[in-house]
């Protein structure tokens, strides 16, 4: 910001100096008034008339008549009030010009400019490993002067962990003290660092930290992964499978993370001689009913539009079941059950109730788009067979 404002201020001062220079440094020679100019012109005319009389081109009567007319005109012109340009108060003029230029500049700036954006653009520099290391080192030096800043030590520990400096991260977590004890994610991070420093050995403090993290948050993803890894290393394959399966239920399907955890579960089952995971039992229990559309929106539905009925666990974003079909005549019947599950480990039949909504998409995209026709979400008990959903809104 400063790098923009200082040059802008200097440029404004330069413009004002150029504009106000005549007021600060007025001309030393006085200006010629109109009276003086008229007198000079008539004097020149009289000299010409005298020269013509001397040369004989004008007789005496014509000379006297012309001479009298010139004297009368000269008297009339020079008798008027002199209009020599006189400036008003220079002080008022200077103030007026300054205010005008400043207000005009400010107006253009606020209409067209953005100093904060310019400052941000100037500050955008590619971060290098060296610059990150320098920032962390400076932060570490600052923390040495603030030994009681437990939150700061936790932040420094995370920075070291990201950089792969696990030994320093472990020391910083230790100095964070009680600040770590109430945060399950920090506890899991601390356990991960200690296990890495011990070549993957979770015995002792790492296991204690994992247990503490899961006591605070039984669904913490990192703590569940570490718990399974600790059990796997101890050849307690059943416990490893239990932790990792609980983790898998929270991951979205068809992702690299899900595939990796599924492979780890299969390996643990194989090494522990455990039976393969049984396929979930597909239940017909779900939600069914009819979909209607308001008369105002009926004309907006075109051939080729896609209708989606989406069921979610209340207060969650990940769908548990999705019905996707082409739009036909309304009212339309729908059925949501385990066969339409997004994740085999999260089935609609296992929930007491779901939040259901309908969306008509012009493109068939999974992500909602402006112009989609939608219904208001309804919370419906699983097992309901006469649900009624009404499409009566347009997504802005």
């Amino acid at each position: 910001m400063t790098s923009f404002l200082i040059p802008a201020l200097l440029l404004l001062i330069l413009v004002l100096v150029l504009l106000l220079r005549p007021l600060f440094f007025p001309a030393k020679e006085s200006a010629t008034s109109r009276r003086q100019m008229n007198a000079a012109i008539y004097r020149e005319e009289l000299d010409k008339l005298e020269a013509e009389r001397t040369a004989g081109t004008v007789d005496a009567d014509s000379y006297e008549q012309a001479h009298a007319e010139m004297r009368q005109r000269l008297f009339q012109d020079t008798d008027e009030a002199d209009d020599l340009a006189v400036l008003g108060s220079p002080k008022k003029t200077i103030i007026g010009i300054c205010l005008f230029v400043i207000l005009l500049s400010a107006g253009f700036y606020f209409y067209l400019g953005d100093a904060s954006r310019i400052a941000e653009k100037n500050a955008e520099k590619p971060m290098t490993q060296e610059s990150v290391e320098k920032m962390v080192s400076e932060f570490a030096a600052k923390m040495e002067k603030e030994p009681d800043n437990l939150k700061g030590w936790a932040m420094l520990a995370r920075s070291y962990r990201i950089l792969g400096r696990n030994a320093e991260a472990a020391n910083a977590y230790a100095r964070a003290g009680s600040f770590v004890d109430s945060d399950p994610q920090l506890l899991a991070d601390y356990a991960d660092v200690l296990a890495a420093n011990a070549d993957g050995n979770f015995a002792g403090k790492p296991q204690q930290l994992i247990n503490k993290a899961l006591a605070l948050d039984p669904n913490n993803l990192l703590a569940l992964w570490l718990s399974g890894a600790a059990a796997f290393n101890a050849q307690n394959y059943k416990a490893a499978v239990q932790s990792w399966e609980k983790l898998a239920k929270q991951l979205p399907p068809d992702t690299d993370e899900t595939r990796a955890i599924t492979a780890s579960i299969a390996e643990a089952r194989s090494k522990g001689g455990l039976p393969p995971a049984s396929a979930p039992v597909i239940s017909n229990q779900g939600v069914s009913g009819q979909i209607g559309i308001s008369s105002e929106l009926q004309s907006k539905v075109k051939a080729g539009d896609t209708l989606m009925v989406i069921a979610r666990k209340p207060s969650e974003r990940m769908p548990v079941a999705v019905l996707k079909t082409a739009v036909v005549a309304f009212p339309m019947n729908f059925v949501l059950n385990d066969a339409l599950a997004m994740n085999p480990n999260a089935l609609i039949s296992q929930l007491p109730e779901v939040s259901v909504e309908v969306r008509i998409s012009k493109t068939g995209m999974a992500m909602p788009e402006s112009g989609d026709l939608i219904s208001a979400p309804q919370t419906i008990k699983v097992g309901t067979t006469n649900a009624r959903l009404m499409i009566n809104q347009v997504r802005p």
Side-chain angles (χ1 to χ4, degrees):
M1 180 73 75
T2 305
S3 61
F4 166 78
L5 291 178
I6 291 178
L9 181 60
L10 293 176
L11 184 60
L12 179 62
I13 293 173
L14 177 61
V15 171
L16 291 175
V17 169
L18 293 176
L19 288 175
L20 301 177
R21 184 176 178 276
L23 299 177
F24 285 114
F25 307 101
K28 294 183 179 180
E29 297 181 357
S30 60
T32 302
S33 70
R34 191 175 70 175
R35 179 184 296 175
Q36 292 172 329
M37 292 177 62
N38 289 340
I41 292 171
Y42 284 120
R43 190 178 300 111
E44 183 178 349
E45 292 293 326
L46 289 172
D47 290 342
K48 288 182 180 179
L49 183 62
E50 182 65 28
E52 290 176 356
R53 186 180 72 82
T54 304
T57 57
V58 178
D59 57 28
D61 292 337
S62 298
Y63 170 79
E64 290 297 335
Q65 182 180 354
H67 195 277
E69 290 177 355
M70 286 187 181
R71 285 199 305 271
Q72 184 178 5
R73 284 160 50 196
L74 175 63
F75 175 77
Q76 290 175 349
D77 289 343
T78 56
D79 187 53
E80 294 179 0
D82 200 352
D83 62 351
L84 176 64
V86 178
L87 290 171
S89 170
K91 184 177 180 181
K92 292 181 179 180
T93 304
I94 291 172
I95 294 174
I97 292 176
C98 288
L99 289 176
F100 174 76
V101 172
I102 291 173
L103 292 176
L104 182 65
S105 303
F108 273 113
Y109 163 70
F110 285 114
Y111 182 72
L112 300 173
D114 190 340
S116 61
R117 189 181 301 170
I118 294 172
E120 289 174 4
K121 197 170 187 68
N122 291 336
E124 287 180 0
K125 296 179 181 178
M127 294 294 290
T128 63
Q129 180 72 18
E130 292 76 12
S131 61
V132 174
E133 293 277 359
K134 181 179 178 182
M135 290 172 58
V136 173
S137 297
E138 291 174 352
F139 186 41
K142 177 185 177 183
M143 292 312 305
E144 290 294 342
K145 299 176 183 178
E146 302 177 16
D148 297 329
N149 185 352
L150 303 185
K151 183 178 180 180
W153 281 108
M155 292 174 61
L156 179 61
R158 279 191 161 180
S159 301
Y160 279 139
R161 181 170 176 265
I162 292 172
L163 293 175
R165 295 162 61 174
N166 291 327
E168 289 139 305
N171 292 333
Y173 275 124
R175 298 188 68 172
S178 59
F179 185 81
V180 175
D181 295 339
S182 59
D183 189 319
Q185 187 59 48
L186 289 177
L187 288 168
D189 291 341
Y190 190 8
D192 188 27
V193 166
L194 292 178
N197 290 338
D199 296 326
N201 186 355
F202 290 88
K205 190 166 186 178
Q207 185 66 64
Q208 296 171 8
L209 294 172
I210 294 169
N211 294 340
K212 194 171 185 178
L214 290 174
L216 293 172
D217 180 8
N219 294 317
N220 183 275
L221 299 182
L222 180 57
L224 285 172
W225 167 254
L226 295 176
S227 177
F232 187 92
N233 290 351
Q235 300 183 356
N236 186 352
Y237 299 113
K238 184 177 180 180
V241 168
Q242 291 174 346
S243 295
W244 286 341
E245 284 185 340
K246 189 174 183 179
L247 170 61
K249 290 180 181 180
Q250 301 180 60
L251 298 178
D254 298 327
T255 63
D256 292 339
E257 292 81 3
T258 301
R259 285 187 282 271
I261 196 67
T262 301
S264 297
I265 292 172
E267 183 182 2
R269 287 185 176 278
S270 175
K271 288 191 173 184
L274 302 173
S278 57
V281 178
I282 301 299
S283 171
N284 289 327
Q285 187 175 9
V287 174
S288 61
Q290 281 192 338
I291 303 167
I293 187 168
S294 65
S295 56
E296 295 82 1
L297 299 183
Q298 180 73 58
S299 61
K300 295 181 178 293
V301 180
K302 306 297 181 184
D305 289 353
T306 301
L307 180 140
M308 285 175 273
V309 187
I310 305 164
R312 296 182 174 88
K313 185 177 180 180
S315 75
E316 291 190 4
R317 296 180 59 185
M318 179 62 67
V320 293
V322 176
L323 170 64
K324 186 175 182 181
T325 184
V327 174
V328 293
F330 289 95
M332 289 181 61
N333 295 325
F334 76 93
V335 177
L336 292 172
N337 54 32
D338 290 349
L340 301 173
M342 299 297 292
N343 186 337
N345 294 315
L347 302 176
I348 189 173
S349 62
Q350 298 173 347
L351 300 175
E353 60 184 15
V354 288
S355 175
V356 183
E357 60 183 286
V358 184
R359 178 164 62 89
I360 296 179
S361 170
K362 300 295 182 183
T363 62
M365 299 295 292
M367 292 297 293
E369 298 176 303
S370 177
D372 287 351
L373 308 181
I374 58 176
S375 71
Q378 291 187 37
T379 301
I380 303 173
K381 289 185 177 181
V382 173
T384 300
T385 58
N386 59 349
R388 295 290 184 268
L389 302 174
M390 177 62 66
I391 301 172
N392 55 8
Q393 303 176 36
V394 180
R395 183 177 177 83

